[in-house]
Amino acid sequence: MTDQPLVLGIETSCDETGIGIVRGHTLLADAVASSVEEHARFGGVVPEVASRAHLEAMVPTLERACDTAGIRLADVDAIAVTSGPGLVGALLVGVAAAKALAIGLGKPIYGVNHLAAHVAVDQLEHGPLPEPCLAMLVSGGHSSLLRVEDVTLGVTPLGATIDDAAGEAFDKVARLLGLPFPGGPHIDREARSGNSIAIDFPRGLTSRRDLERHRFDFSFSGLKTSVARWVEAQQRAGVAVPVADVAASFQEAVCDVLTRKAVDAAVSEGIDTILIGGGVAANSRLRSMAEERASAKGIRVRVPRPGLCTDNGAMVAALGTELVARGRTASALDLPADSSQPITTVVA
Ligand code: KG4
Ligand code: ZN
């Protein structure tokens, strides 16, 4: 097998149908069809709506990716697909499609972990991952700090959210402020004209006592409640809510805790590179604060471009080529979709 394998990656764990095609570390196609607009009026992703949208988008997105890459399906060396974690009905659509392709083409199938794929994708932009590196994954469904030695073998969780994910907090606070779903990009935009020290919102799990048990864990549910109480008090008093100031102060609280803990974890693990991934990695304040705090400790920060931070098929293909190049064992054809696939299981 070549060290520049050609892999097709399929991602359907949430509301994006992503098909990526990667050769070695080169991205050839990254076709994404999102059902986000169908969920907007519900204020969150509706699993059944997402599954149906994946079914409808699968074949056209696959065709679009092959056209863009200028390849035929028969050219690929392997199929990689997100087998978990995620919404089970949504995952099933991708896994079933991947199995059909693997059987039809006679190619191996790799059922991969969604979080490991968020880590591997940065290789497409910034080259091979330093081993070890510290990954901070922040999205609508997860917020974790991971020690990564070899992304094809497994990652060691150092900490995670004990309640809401960071992106979930952005989405809930945006809703309180009357901003559309998904809220992260809207808060990011509003915050640019706001005062980030206008309101002193709480920083979860940063007290001396909490740090003893939860040094690298996060909690965003108290912050969300605090924003809700503050906004309600303004409304009761008949005062207009200063949306930009609330957005900026809330965003500052989230980014403060995330970057503080990521840098602390890197220093304590003796790691010189922090990789940030997941949808919230697109946040402009998170990027600048991480750069600032990490460089003060001699630590490099790598963040893929926003389109590769949010869910996509390229990340799955990027992990797939690495698995093939490193000779890792493929999955069995009866591989299940596992909505709670642990981060320690890279290939199901
Ligand atoms: O990784 P992703 O596309 O899907 C999940 O696996 O969840 O992340 C989506 C999340 C949403 O919660 C969205 O509000 C958040 O990422 N997000 C942002 C920004 N862009 C997307 N949060 C903060 N600032 C942004 N610029
Ligand atoms: Zn994700």
Side-chain angles (χ1 to χ4, degrees), residues 36 109 122 162 166 175 236:
V36 67
I109 182 173
D122 192 53
I162 60 167
R175 194 172 191 185
R236 257 200 316 276

Side-chain angles (χ1 to χ4, degrees), residues 13 114-115 118 139 142 278-279 309-311 315:
S13 68
H114 180 80
L115 303 186
H118 268 303
S139 79
H142 30 83
C309 285
T310 47
D311 291 349
M315 65 193 218

Side-chain angles (χ1 to χ4, degrees), residues 104-128:
L105 300 166
K107 306 289 177 174
I109 182 173
Y110 291 82
V112 306
N113 189 296
H114 180 80
L115 303 186
H118 268 303
V119 175
V121 73
D122 192 53
Q123 308 203 116
L124 301 179
E125 206 161 0
H126 299 115

Side-chain angles (χ1 to χ4, degrees), residues 2 36 84 88 91 94 97 105 130 144 184 192 201 238 273 283 314 325:
T2 153
V36 67
V88 72
L91 289 167
L105 300 166
S144 327
R192 281 180 204 158
F201 287 128
T273 307
N283 186 267

